[in-house]
Amino acid sequence: MNFSFTEEQTLLRDSLASYLSDHYAFEQRRAAIKSAAGWRPQVWKAFAEDLGILGATFPEDVGGLGGGPTEQLVIMEELGKALVVEPYLATVVIAGGFLQRAKPAAAGDLLGRIVAGQATFAFAYAEPQGRYCWHDLATTARKDGAGYVLNGMKAVVVGAPWASHLIVTARTGGARRDQGGVSVFIVDAKAPGVAMREYPTVDGARAAEVSFENVKLGAEALIGPEGAALPLIEAVIDEATAAVCAEACGVLRRLHEGTVDYTKQRKQFGQPISQFQVLQHRMVDMFIAFEQSVSMTYMAHVRLVEAAAERAKAVSAAKVQIGRACRFVGQNAIQLHGGMGMTDEMAIGHYFKRATMIEAQFGNTDHHLARYEGLSFGKAA
Amino acid sequence: MDLDFSPEDLKFQAEVRRFLAEAYPAHLREKSERGEAFSKEDILGWQKVLAAKGWAAPSWPVQYGGTSWTPTQKYIWSEEQARADVLSIPPFGLNMLAPVLYTFGSEEQRERFLPDILAGNVWWCQGYSEPGSGSDLASLKTRAERITGDDGKEYYLVNGQKTWTTMAQFADWGFFLVRTDPTAKPQAGISFLLIDMKSPGVTVRPIITLEGGHEVNDVFLDNVKVPVENRVYEENKGWTCAKALLQHERSGIAGVAVSKRQLEKLRGMAATEASDVGGALIDDAFFRRKLAELEIDLTALEFTELRTLAGESSGEGPGPESSILKIKGTEIQQRLTELTLEAAGHYGAPHLLGLPHNAAAIGPVEARGAAGEYFNTRKTSIYGGSNEIQRNIIAKMVLGL
């Protein structure tokens, strides 16, 4: 049993933290997310070339550094601290997760391009009617010779406006909510028939409603088994959920520390408001929620390698903890900042917004509680 | 970062399992199954078995009879004890006094007291709280004045009252905080005394708690003569001992292993008790949700404890962060008893103490004593520094407020 980070992992954390403090300060981020593009390709270039984080978790034969879940945890936590919007999660964790497992004809090449910073991804999995049910799919991929024809519509595809490629879940068989008949495809974001209605998200990223109209896909676009990809999708979404938990740890740390600092400076009734016991105990409860979130995030990451049921149970348990902590710590951070917490100019509100979106990302607290119950107690009679 | 037990750890786990299965006396197991309280002889008898194996005090330094177990081995030890439902030895001698003695005690004191503590020959109690000083421990008033006895030897004459003294009815000896300098600042005038409970002037009076049990007592000290050589560490430096004592055995404070076992029992109960709408209680959407939340929170506690242990083994020491373990650990213990009582339904009501000893049992076995446990467990967020005091500690020591 071991809960410590290696020297290399600490170095990775330090170099990323140092880069972000120089290039991703609050005002720099604010300007970038308001720009036309909404992100900074030069930051992505630095991730690839100067920091090497895009390949940190990939095997060496595709140009990676051979890391694993712990490296993912370290990177995501630092990205969370700086509220990084660039599509690390969709590109490295999600597309990387699919490509490493599925090894389609194009995977080796695409993984190399991810590591080099040349390919960015968005994950088109959610549909307007499906909420958090990943196999509720109206999007279809109809067999067409050796390839497929894709039709349908995906909801809130985060990072789609920046993506060179999309990972798309679609039905190659079965009825809308069947677990069978689900497949995964790589789609060129600029392919004929792909249309995007782009918009900003409340937490500073960009997303799009993506529609597919008779998009022609070659046979090599299929990742994983045709019609039986749900276990693969669940595995990758579990990894992505764990990654979001790690990001949340970074966000929660800033929310908590920012609040402690602010209450030490803010004076009312002739003393710093940090002197009031009612506020102290609130901040202790925020601290406990944060610490418990870190613990559960570690727990989820060390269990990512276990069999599907154990992995899923661990990830859902962690997401429940993180979802609650995001709400409790986020709301109280605003409350303790008073009126200042309501302003756009203070960083605290931006952390609160990201924390709030994390609550629902890949399923909210109720979703993961129900999933956990099913896994721990069996289906209710 | 990984969760794997090394091959040595797995071997150790197997050895512990085998030992507990073979060595734990059957009559103690039967007593627990009947819901009966353990006697002093039961508890010390089991400690003697552990001492013979060399496992009575895993955390002590090896030179005094401890083990050189790694934090992982200690973790395995507490997990396996809970798993096997063996009784837990009260901490007063082994885990509270002993570290004070081997840290601050004189060579004579170590030689005189540690072997009997280890062997389970002597029962110790802790004389800290007073009627007027609960969470504000340093306000204690029990007075100890230096006198010269008729035999020409130096003594402390002790007068005062201690309260909430757990298991004092069994105690042979007690360690007491007393005021030796009433003029100094509260923390600066306290000394740490070892008192023979058979000394003239010591009176123990039971306090019956709301569930009807007798765990705690008032201890009256009326002109009790205590030899000066029974003072541990310097005069007026007792607060240093008291503080160090509070830092010890933080690793066990969360009670994770026992709570995991309790949860397992509660799950078993929920699978057999009926719900209002047919089927088992575990299929009731509301109960199921509470159980899931509790299980998740217990996992969070477990991993927070494991992180603390990992920090300890890398030399960081148990910091004030371990107050988190006290707060969350006791909350979870309380929620477990709360849900067990809920699961008991109607059969939460029968009072076990109202029945003759050999009467036929009433209601399902899991429900027996559920209310008593629930009432009794309210103490956990009050004792050992109330959970509000723990929040003050974190605010001051960790958050710098």
Side-chain angles (χ1 to χ4, degrees):
Chain A
M1 239 183 341
N2 165 25
F3 284 90
S4 51
F5 297 97
T6 64
E7 210 169 300
E8 289 77 23
Q9 287 160 352
T10 306
L11 205 66
L12 173 70
R13 182 189 292 282
D14 292 347
S15 65
L16 179 55
S18 147
Y19 173 84
L20 292 172
S21 84
D22 291 344
H23 298 91
Y24 225 102
F26 179 61
E27 289 305 328
Q28 290 165 306
R29 174 185 185 270
R30 220 152 92 118
I33 63 174
K34 281 183 179 157
S35 70
W39 72 314
R40 285 179 289 166
Q42 72 270 28
V43 167
W44 196 250
K45 193 163 179 280
F47 282 180
E49 294 172 9
D50 304 338
L51 296 159
I53 64 167
L54 301 185
T57 58
F58 291 162
E60 289 166 14
D61 60 12
V62 295
L65 300 174
T70 310
E71 282 72 13
Q72 173 183 302
L73 183 157
V74 166
I75 292 167
M76 286 301 297
E77 192 180 347
E78 291 307 315
L79 298 180
K81 281 187 202 165
L83 294 177
V84 169
V85 297
E86 278 70 14
Y88 177 89
L89 177 74
T91 303
V92 177
V93 179
I94 296 172
F98 279 115
L99 292 170
Q100 284 189 76
R101 279 192 183 77
K103 299 206 191 301
D109 181 42
L110 272 175
L111 281 170
R113 288 173 64 197
I114 289 175
V115 175
Q118 293 156 354
T120 49
F121 282 78
F123 185 29
Y125 66 108
E127 298 194 359
Q129 82 288 347
R131 206 170 160 83
Y132 307 124
C133 176
W134 317 139
H135 54 82
D136 185 331
L137 298 173
T139 299
T140 57
R142 181 171 42 80
K143 201 91 179 167
D144 180 38
Y148 304 86
V149 175
L150 186 65
N151 278 287
M153 153 67 186
K154 291 292 179 175
V156 198
V157 184
V158 176
W162 308 325
S164 60
H165 299 79
L166 306 172
I167 303 271
V168 183
T169 57
R171 201 159 269 300
T172 46
R176 203 189 85 196
R177 287 179 61 87
D178 284 357
Q179 301 204 3
V182 175
S183 303
V184 186
F185 298 91
I186 305 176
V187 180
D188 187 327
K190 300 282 183 291
V194 177
M196 294 192 192
R197 187 178 165 210
E198 300 180 7
Y199 48 85
T201 61
V202 293
D203 52 347
R206 299 290 166 94
E209 302 296 282
V210 181
S211 60
F212 305 98
E213 199 184 335
N214 294 319
V215 178
K216 290 206 180 309
L217 305 174
E220 76 286 352
L222 178 74
I223 320 177
E226 186 185 271
L230 190 60
L232 171 65
I233 293 168
E234 283 177 346
V236 173
I237 290 183
D238 275 342
E239 287 174 6
T241 307
V244 163
C245 290
E247 180 190 358
C249 290
V251 172
L252 290 167
R253 183 186 290 278
R254 288 282 185 263
L255 281 166
H256 174 255
E257 287 175 354
T259 304
V260 169
D261 289 346
Y262 182 78
T263 60
K264 284 179 181 170
Q265 289 156 23
R266 172 71 176 167
K267 288 201 173 74
Q268 294 279 270
F269 307 103
Q271 57 181 322
I273 61 172
S274 63
Q275 297 300 309
F276 298 120
Q277 194 178 43
V278 69
L279 300 194
Q280 291 181 349
H281 283 200
R282 191 81 52 83
M283 286 188 278
V284 168
D285 288 336
M286 292 163 73
F287 173 70
I288 293 174
F290 161 66
E291 284 291 336
Q292 303 267 76
S293 298
V294 173
S295 301
M296 288 298 257
T297 300
Y298 286 10
M299 186 279 298
H301 278 80
V302 292
R303 290 197 167 141
L304 279 180
V305 294
E306 287 182 17
E310 276 308 299
R311 176 204 73 216
K313 200 176 143 188
V315 168
S316 281
K319 189 62 172 31
V320 168
Q321 168 65 35
I322 263 74
R324 285 194 190 138
C326 281
R327 185 167 293 187
F328 179 77
V329 177
Q331 290 179 348
N332 279 297
I334 300 301
Q335 177 69 22
L336 269 59
H337 275 75
M340 289 307 291
M342 294 302 297
T343 65
D344 181 60
E345 69 183 81
M346 291 279 289
I348 206 77
H350 297 260
Y351 285 98
F352 175 48
K353 287 190 281 188
R354 180 67 196 127
T356 304
M357 291 303 105
I358 287 175
E359 269 187 56
Q361 198 165 357
F362 303 121
N364 62 13
T365 304
D366 284 347
H367 168 85
H368 282 283
L369 261 173
R371 186 176 183 237
Y372 181 92
E373 286 170 16
L375 290 161
S376 188
F377 311 137
K379 289 259 174 291
Chain B
M1 208 181 283
D2 65 70
L3 280 180
D4 305 329
F5 285 151
S6 68
E8 295 77 50
D9 290 335
L10 290 171
K11 221 178 108 195
F12 175 75
Q13 185 184 48
E15 189 191 349
V16 169
R17 275 189 195 174
R18 204 168 44 239
F19 167 72
L20 292 174
E22 288 165 6
Y24 193 65
H27 72 275
L28 296 185
R29 191 168 302 287
E30 285 155 18
K31 248 187 170 172
S32 329
E33 279 159 12
R34 286 197 303 269
E36 268 178 58
F38 293 114
S39 68
K40 179 177 175 178
E41 291 68 32
D42 290 338
I43 293 168
L44 291 181
W46 173 231
Q47 194 189 325
K48 288 190 166 83
V49 176
L50 293 176
K53 176 80 180 165
W55 289 0
S59 322
W60 288 19
V62 179
Q63 62 181 120
Y64 301 115
T67 66
S68 49
W69 289 352
T70 62
T72 306
Q73 287 177 310
K74 288 182 200 166
Y75 169 82
I76 290 171
W77 173 237
S78 48
E79 287 277 304
E80 292 304 324
Q81 286 185 96
R83 201 176 153 269
D85 281 323
V86 305
L87 67 82
S88 51
I89 311 285
F92 310 109
L94 283 170
N95 298 325
M96 298 173 118
L97 175 61
V100 171
L101 286 177
Y102 60 67
T103 310
F104 298 101
S106 68
E107 203 47 54
E108 294 82 37
Q109 288 171 336
R110 292 175 197 179
E111 279 170 23
R112 182 174 166 205
F113 294 111
L114 286 177
D116 279 339
I117 293 176
L118 189 67
N121 294 333
V122 171
W123 191 293
W124 286 85
C125 66
Q126 180 195 39
Y128 273 30
S129 293
E130 296 185 4
S133 74
S135 292
D136 181 11
L137 182 60
S139 69
L140 61 91
K141 289 195 174 66
T142 294
R143 185 80 173 89
E145 287 170 285
R146 280 289 272 264
I147 54 161
T148 307
D150 301 336
D151 52 9
K153 291 182 185 160
E154 290 289 293
Y155 291 90
Y156 289 104
L157 192 66
V158 182
N159 278 289
Q161 186 192 342
K162 295 291 176 179
T163 190
W164 313 128
T165 315
T166 304
M167 301 287 168
Q169 71 269 33
F170 293 162
D172 305 300
W173 279 76
F175 50 97
F176 288 80
L177 290 181
V178 296
R179 186 159 302 285
T180 35
D181 183 357
T183 62
K185 281 186 179 169
Q187 284 88 346
I190 293 171
S191 297
F192 193 100
L193 292 190
L194 308 179
I195 300 180
D196 185 338
M197 296 295 280
K198 290 181 292 295
S199 311
V202 177
T203 312
V204 175
R205 195 188 70 185
I207 300 174
I208 302 304
T209 39
L210 73 173
E211 84 289 1
H214 175 201
E215 283 183 345
V216 288
N217 303 273
D218 282 315
V219 175
F220 298 92
L221 301 156
D222 188 14
N223 287 321
V224 180
K225 267 169 69 184
V226 181
V228 167
E229 64 265 26
N230 287 8
R231 187 194 70 231
V232 179
Y233 204 44
E234 294 164 41
E235 191 169 84
N236 299 325
K237 294 277 176 67
W239 191 248
T240 309
C241 303
K243 267 198 311 191
L245 187 154
L246 292 172
Q247 289 289 328
H248 269 279
E249 281 302 307
R250 291 289 182 134
S251 57
I253 203 171
V256 170
V258 173
S259 287
K260 276 165 81 173
R261 181 75 185 113
Q262 285 302 120
L263 183 67
E264 204 180 307
K265 289 180 182 168
L266 176 57
R267 285 179 59 139
M269 190 173 175
T272 51
E273 288 295 311
S275 77
D276 310 350
V277 289
L281 191 55
I282 201 150
D283 299 323
D284 174 282
F286 294 99
F287 194 84
R288 193 177 164 85
R289 175 82 13 133
K290 284 184 279 196
L291 202 55
E293 288 175 323
L294 184 56
E295 197 167 287
I296 289 169
D297 288 346
L298 181 53
T299 307
L301 177 71
E302 180 180 16
F303 277 78
T304 301
E305 184 181 54
L306 289 172
R307 282 172 60 213
T308 312
L309 290 176
E312 261 179 76
S313 59
S314 66
E316 286 169 39
E321 293 89 346
S322 53
S323 289
I324 295 179
L325 302 179
K326 161 73 176 29
I327 295 171
K328 290 319 237 188
T330 53
E331 284 176 2
I332 282 171
Q333 289 154 23
Q334 292 179 335
R335 279 164 66 197
L336 274 164
T337 63
E338 205 173 293
L339 284 192
T340 305
L341 179 58
E342 272 187 39
H346 295 298
Y347 284 106
H351 199 317
L352 291 186
L353 297 175
L355 289 174
H357 184 64
N358 288 326
I362 297 174
V365 64
E366 301 89 348
R368 251 167 257 163
E373 277 298 309
Y374 168 73
F375 294 134
N376 182 274
T377 305
R378 301 316 300 169
K379 72 189 174 189
T380 60
S381 52
I382 300 167
Y383 69 34
S386 73
N387 287 10
E388 287 72 25
I389 290 289
Q390 302 299 331
R391 284 181 171 83
N392 290 349
I393 292 171
I394 297 173
K396 189 172 167 212
M397 309 297 287
V398 184
L399 306 185
L401 297 173

